[in-house]
Amino acid sequence: MKRILVTGGCGFIGSNFVRHMLASDPAVEIVNLDALTYAGRLENLEDVAEDPRYTFIHGDICDPEAVTRAMDGCDVVVNFAAETHVDRSLLSAGHFIQTDCYGVWVLLEEARRRGIERFVQISTDEVYGSIASGSFDEQTPLMPRNPYAASKAGGDRIAYSFWASFGVPVIITRASNNYGPYQYPEKLIPLFVTNALVDRELPLYGDGGNIRDWLYVGDHCSAIAFLIEHGTPGEVYNIAGGNERANIEITKKILEILGKPEDLIRFVADRPGHDRRYSLDGSKLAALGWTPQTVFEEALERTVRWYVDHPQWWRPIREHDEEFARYYETQYGARLEGAGR
Ligand code: NAD
Ligand code: TDX
């Protein structure tokens, strides 16, 4: 048996990863340490909650006692736990620095003390900043441009330093924008799908021409599982989707799948410091033997249908907290809260 500590397993990618590992590897046990912030939902894993190979621990990665308890007997750590929404980091960055930097350090100290076999730090493409043409490779200097990205860059480099200084077997992954089921309806795709489903406008920032590279969450999970086995400590791996699309294109596609009119689109003020384009060079991981398997148009359609079929999942959590809803309304002139009713 291999025992993996997954942190942030009640969030979007973490919950998909826990399900993926339990289903694909019978020799795996999972311990999930999650603080259950607004983004952490127990219901995301209710189908595996009774699995004897799964243990949930409610706790914070910034709390050394909780981390010591959760890491007990574990061979591998995969750290998903983070504050993750760029707009929230523009409102208030304190929690981002706390969890995405300090929390990473707490985990690394415990991993070092115990001699953990592999420590996977889930970083992001946002740490590179924005790129007008070409793609970021793993050697590209980091130039994060918003507080979320800067906090993630801090965690990324703290993890690296624990490999370089102390030999903790750290692997760092930097993935593109994920999409799929269980994504909190604050991010572009689930926000726009659920807005359209309740006939709310879709607030598109700026001119809608910003480009993201889209990676299906199932592909992201299989890449992480692959890297636990085949990654080299001290190395960084980009996980690219290979599907660069402008936001306006994604938005129109969502409306088309749902059969909703394009006049639901509303161009609003731009996000402060809005990165124009992300593009990852995935050739390092491809050379190791992993490439994404998902066809974007098919998986986008399946994802949209998942939200259509699971209103009981998203309706209650479209009630955003007041402070963030007020910020979003001031910044973009669009309302978030109460939209589920
Ligand atoms: P999410 O916001 O859906 O989930 C984050 C999870 O972490 C939640 O369950 C939350 O309760 C938990 N958490 C937050 N603070 C915590 C703390 N202090 N202690 C313990 N648990 C805590 O995030 P996501 O979109 O699933 O992202 C997961 C990871 O992947 C993050 O590290 C993120 O930076 C990275 N990432 C995300 C994307 C993307 O497109 N979503 C792309 C690349 C990388
Ligand atoms: O209401 C919106 N209108 C809009 O035009 C929202 C929420 C977003 N957007 C735009 C901003 C971005 O160009 O859509 C694009 C995607 O936005 P987000 O879903 O907020 O993602 P992004 O800022 O690209 O960051 C994401 O990718 C990297 C994740 O949120 C991060 O956690 C991940 O690390």
Side-chain angles (χ1 to χ4, degrees):
M1 275 286 174
K2 181 185 290 171
R3 196 169 166 88
I4 303 180
L5 171 61
V6 172
T7 65
C10 293
F12 163 48
I13 306 172
S15 62
N16 277 281
F17 181 74
V18 168
R19 197 173 292 104
H20 174 93
M21 292 308 289
L22 289 173
S24 63
D25 188 347
V28 142
E29 285 176 354
I30 302 279
V31 179
N32 171 15
L33 175 68
D34 197 298
L36 297 178
T37 68
Y38 75 96
R41 318 293 311 179
L42 277 178
E43 60 266 34
N44 290 1
L45 285 172
E46 65 190 2
D47 52 327
V48 300
E50 302 303 321
D51 189 320
R53 292 186 292 133
Y54 172 73
T55 306
F56 173 66
I57 297 179
H58 184 194
D60 193 319
I61 63 164
C62 301
D63 172 4
E65 274 178 33
V67 165
T68 299
R69 192 153 57 91
M71 217 179 279
D72 193 31
C74 289
D75 310 294
V76 174
V77 176
V78 184
N79 179 32
F80 292 96
E83 290 293 335
T84 63
H85 192 35
V86 172
D87 287 310
R88 285 179 186 266
S89 81
L90 296 170
L91 166 66
S92 173
H95 283 120
F96 288 75
I97 294 160
Q98 180 72 8
T99 291
D100 301 7
C101 296
Y102 182 83
V104 177
W105 169 72
V106 173
L107 289 169
L108 286 159
E109 278 293 6
E110 186 60 21
R112 176 188 171 198
R113 199 177 70 76
R114 280 177 188 275
I116 282 288
E117 276 173 30
R118 279 286 178 282
F119 186 106
V120 183
Q121 170 61 15
I122 306 296
S123 188
T124 169
D125 61 357
E126 294 215 24
V127 297
Y128 294 117
S130 189
I131 190 164
S133 60
S135 299
F136 302 117
D137 67 24
E138 290 83 351
Q139 303 303 319
T140 307
L142 306 190
M143 198 61 74
R145 288 165 31 86
N146 61 63
Y148 160 70
S151 309
K152 289 296 293 185
D156 178 316
R157 291 299 84 192
I158 294 164
Y160 180 78
S161 78
F162 267 62
W163 174 76
S165 306
F166 309 120
V168 176
V170 167
I171 289 168
I172 295 158
T173 65
R174 298 182 186 145
S176 306
N177 281 58
N178 280 221
Y179 66 103
Y182 299 100
Q183 187 169 30
Y184 199 84
E186 64 187 354
K187 309 284 165 53
L188 177 77
I189 290 178
L191 179 68
F192 280 16
V193 173
T194 57
N195 270 15
L197 285 171
V198 295
D199 296 310
R200 276 261 170 124
E201 287 175 333
L202 315 187
L204 201 48
Y205 302 161
D207 63 3
N210 298 64
I211 292 172
R212 297 293 182 265
D213 171 32
W214 293 96
L215 172 70
Y216 186 62
V217 67
D219 278 332
H220 191 182
C221 294
S222 93
I224 296 164
F226 178 86
L227 283 170
I228 290 173
E229 298 302 324
H230 303 290
T232 302
E235 293 291 317
V236 175
Y237 298 93
N238 286 346
I239 307 176
N243 302 296
E244 286 182 41
R245 302 285 188 281
N247 293 338
I248 180 76
E249 204 183 323
I250 300 279
T251 305
K252 287 184 175 171
K253 194 75 207 164
I254 288 171
L255 291 170
E256 185 192 316
I257 294 168
L258 291 173
K260 296 282 184 176
E262 285 191 7
D263 60 13
L264 278 178
I265 298 173
R266 183 157 142 235
F267 289 92
V268 298
D270 210 354
R271 175 186 271 175
H274 196 178
D275 289 335
R276 188 66 179 171
R277 174 172 173 262
Y278 300 145
S279 177
L280 282 183
D281 178 342
S283 54
K284 182 172 176 181
L285 191 49
L288 212 57
W290 184 91
T291 48
Q293 298 300 310
T294 302
V295 177
F296 178 72
E297 278 67 24
E298 287 172 18
L300 179 64
E301 180 150 356
R302 260 190 284 126
T303 297
V304 172
R305 304 239 173 267
W306 187 86
Y307 292 95
V308 173
D309 293 341
H310 293 81
Q312 76 284 9
W313 182 83
W314 55 263
R315 276 192 179 267
I317 59 175
R318 277 178 55 95
E319 302 285 334
H320 293 266
D321 67 82
E322 234 171 74
E323 195 191 9
F324 180 60
R326 227 181 301 119
Y327 166 78
Y328 193 86
E329 187 163 4
T330 310
Q331 178 61 34
Y332 303 118
R335 284 188 57 233
L336 278 174
E337 85 280 22
R341 280 171 286 165

